[in-house]
Amino acid sequence: MHAAASIDASPVNALNLQLVGAAEWPSHCRKLSPGSQALAAAQGFKAQAGRILLLHGQDGALSGAVLGLGDKPSPMQLGGAAAHLPSGAWRIGALPAGMDATQATLAWALGAYHFDRYKARPRPLACLSPPDGTDNAEVHRLAEAVYLARDLVNTPAGDMGPAALQTAAEGVASRFGAQCTSVIGEDLLRQGFPLIHAVGRAAHEPPRLVHLHWGDLPGAPHICLVGKGVTFDTGGLNMKTGPGMAIMKKDMGGAAHALALAQLIMAANLPVRLSVLLPIAENAISGPAMRPGDVIISRNGSSIEITNTDAEGRLILADALVK
């Protein structure tokens, strides 16, 4: 899904969402209808942080809601509201003093995230009309970058192997006119990336180093992002236990975050020169797998003895960091 789906600048028949702290709740409660007061009392609602009280008219129809902010109001509490409010359009009656409109809207967008590649959202989104003062462009840039990282990490390794992660990087590069090149398989040895090759040589899909470059403004600061892209980590011959291996699709989270941050920088058109290096491999087990006791000469000439094949991340990053 896209972050914009949870934000609607011109909603029709939007319901009012009241943001109330615990200290303000007693006086605020007295302004509600007797029925709403009775419902709040029955549910023990006292504007605790994250609690939601749905409000109903005399006809029983939904008429609005109260979001509790507790003792320490924070714009990030809007994230919980996005996930738990009924579907439909919502607007915030008034932000508490000092609460930033952009941060509140961003929290809503992040809370509305749903990974729907394999299973559709169970119900339609609750959509927010951004409060006055919201920088909508900033909200969309930030939320889309976060969504990208979450989507990449949430995708199982069967669909997010080295080639798929490379394709994702190429897609971001193409969107913003960045250069994107890759060194794949045996070319890693020929071009001096032996550690990346060693980690990924046992997998069905060959390892690779993806290099994205954007921006050519003379004199601009040069920012380099390097992200670990182990698309699945069995532990190699030092195999992980079942529970330890169960969540290893997330071992490419460093690459996902580097790519997401790169997207954010390019979308904001910041005055920088940007380089992104993504060493990508699957740490699998087969005949060519690296072994404990192997000694590999790294890109910078250091001799590295492999004492544990589950130390794959530091190996691929070591080659990328001397690019």
Side-chain angles (χ1 to χ4, degrees), residues 72-117:
K72 297 180 179 180
S74 165
M76 298 310 294
Q77 290 163 338
L78 269 292
H84 295 106
L85 280 171
S87 305
W90 293 85
R91 65 174 181 273
I92 297 173
L95 286 174
M99 184 173 288
D100 183 80
T102 298
Q103 291 182 4
T105 306
L106 175 62
W108 177 283
L110 297 182
Y113 172 82
H114 179 80
F115 183 58
D116 56 8
R117 177 166 177 169

Side-chain angles (χ1 to χ4, degrees), residues 43-66:
Q43 296 181 353
F45 182 87
K46 298 180 181 179
Q48 302 95 323
R51 288 284 303 276
I52 294 174
L53 175 67
L54 298 180
L55 304 176
H56 300 271
Q58 293 184 350
D59 60 355
L62 183 65
S63 62
V66 178

Side-chain angles (χ1 to χ4, degrees), residues 114 120-124:
H114 179 80
R121 177 181 290 273
R123 61 184 178 85

Side-chain angles (χ1 to χ4, degrees), residues 158-243:
D159 289 325
M160 189 51 63
L165 187 52
Q166 175 188 340
T167 298
E170 290 170 344
V172 172
S174 176
R175 178 178 170 188
F176 295 99
Q179 300 174 357
C180 191
T181 58
S182 298
V183 183
I184 302 173
E186 297 303 307
D187 284 343
L188 289 167
L189 292 177
R190 287 187 279 270
Q191 297 190 35
F193 298 99
L195 298 179
I196 300 174
H197 180 272
V199 168
R201 69 193 185 197
H204 174 68
E205 290 188 15
R208 61 206 67 207
L209 177 68
V210 176
H211 181 201
L212 183 154
H213 181 76
W214 175 84
D216 56 4
L217 190 64
H222 184 198
I223 296 175
C224 185
L225 307 175
V226 182
K228 172 186 174 184
V230 178
T231 58
F232 194 82
D233 180 19
T234 64
L237 292 177
N238 293 107
M239 186 182 292
K240 294 179 181 290
T241 62

